[in-house]
Amino acid sequence: DTEVTQTPKHLVMGMTNKKSLKCEQHMGHRAMYWYKQKAKKPPELMFVYSYEKLSINESVPSRFSPECPNSSLLNLHLHALQPEDSALYLCASSQEEATNTEAFFGQGTRLTVV
Amino acid sequence: AQKITQTQPGMFVQEKEAVTLDCTYDTSDPSYGLFWYKQPSSGEMIFLIYQGSYDQQNATEGRYSLNFQKARKSANLVISASQLGDSAMYFCAMREGRAQGAQKLVFGQGTRLTINP
């Protein structure tokens, strides 16, 4: 199983809503990532979890709150988002502490903030 | 500072022709990995090929090969015998070595490849 599963695939939320994005992998990977991708732009790293601990936070606004409940799951909690936060949110996982292993990506969640 | 540079925003190629997508990178770390990903309109990022900084030979995966020129800091992707299904966005990415912990995977701006029948 080389799959990273993201739910939901599409999400429309108001600026006062609270929602969560979910990501799951069963490859035994201990590094998991959230990326944000705006239209016609490359993915931008938001967070990295290593062995279920937050390893990297790329100065992301606090309205985005990541959580790693266990080694297979990664959540991104959303609250009080702005319309400019509308984007494709990609989750990825990889083996830990190795430059020579690829990251496996999910299909992403297309988020629209209205 | 931008570490991955893809200078071709878009490329148009006839079906069955070979195509080269350019990628240059910048790092002072002797240990790094270079990756190419394909992103169709569906959004998922599909891993294509990997080249390590210490690899002596250029990587190949089926129709994909990586032209790695370390002194020039370039890692161009070559797709042989292009197919209509190769039409997509292609990203070059780099992961630098670190003593501990997960490393960042940083992407270039991407090249949109269109294969014409």
Side-chain angles (χ1 to χ4, degrees), chain B residues 13-88:
Chain B
V13 174
Q14 287 298 118
E15 191 180 7
K16 300 181 184 178
E17 290 184 351
V19 56
T20 298
L21 305 182
D22 295 342
C23 173
T24 58
Y25 60 92
D26 183 31
T27 180
S28 57
D29 197 319
S31 175
Y32 55 89
L34 296 158
F35 304 80
W36 277 92
Y37 283 86
K38 171 185 179 181
Q39 188 177 40
S41 56
S42 58
E44 66 177 308
M45 299 287 281
I46 302 168
F47 166 73
L48 297 178
I49 197 166
Y50 161 82
Q51 182 81 43
S53 58
Y54 296 118
D55 292 345
Q56 296 296 314
Q57 293 187 330
N58 287 344
T60 60
E61 289 285 350
R63 293 187 300 112
Y64 304 108
S65 61
L66 202 152
N67 184 2
F68 182 46
Q69 298 189 43
K70 194 170 182 177
R72 295 185 178 182
K73 293 189 175 178
S74 74
N76 299 338
L77 176 69
V78 180
I79 306 174
S80 63
S82 57
Q83 303 171 355
L84 296 178
D86 293 333
S87 294

Side-chain angles (χ1 to χ4, degrees), chain A residues 31 33 35 37 41-43 45 48-50 55-56 58 88 90 94 96-107 110, chain B residues 31-33 35 37 39 41-45 47 50 89 91 95-109:
Chain A
Y33 311 77
Y35 282 84
Q37 186 178 23
K41 295 290 187 182
L45 184 65
V48 181
Y49 270 82
S50 174
S55 173
I56 297 174
E58 291 288 271
L88 178 68
L90 292 163
S94 70
E96 181 55 273
E97 296 182 1
T99 56
N100 64 345
T101 57
E102 69 270 28
F104 291 85
F105 284 80
Q107 288 198 317
R110 291 193 185 275
Chain B
S31 175
Y32 55 89
F35 304 80
Y37 283 86
Q39 188 177 40
S41 56
S42 58
E44 66 177 308
M45 299 287 281
F47 166 73
Y50 161 82
M89 195 75 168
F91 290 101
R95 177 184 289 145
E96 294 173 305
R98 284 177 55 182
Q100 294 180 6
Q103 301 94 19
K104 299 181 185 182
L105 185 64
V106 178
F107 290 83
Q109 292 297 309

Side-chain angles (χ1 to χ4, degrees), chain A residues 66-82:
Chain A
E67 178 197 21
C68 190
N70 59 55
S71 60
S72 299
L73 294 174
L74 185 66
N75 298 324
L76 186 63
H77 302 298
L78 314 173
H79 174 54
L81 295 194
Q82 303 297 311

Side-chain angles (χ1 to χ4, degrees), chain A residues 18-71:
Chain A
K18 287 185 181 181
K19 296 287 185 182
S20 296
L21 310 185
K22 297 186 184 301
C23 175
E24 188 169 4
Q25 57 89 14
H26 296 287
M27 294 177 278
H29 291 167
R30 303 313 295 268
M32 296 186 76
Y33 311 77
W34 279 115
Y35 282 84
K36 173 182 178 180
Q37 186 178 23
K38 301 283 280 184
K40 301 183 180 180
K41 295 290 187 182
E44 294 180 355
L45 184 65
M46 301 174 72
F47 303 104
V48 181
Y49 270 82
S50 174
Y51 290 88
E52 299 156 50
K53 293 191 188 317
L54 185 62
S55 173
I56 297 174
N57 177 344
E58 291 288 271
S59 301
V60 179
S62 59
R63 57 186 184 269
F64 295 92
S65 176
E67 178 197 21
C68 190
N70 59 55
S71 60

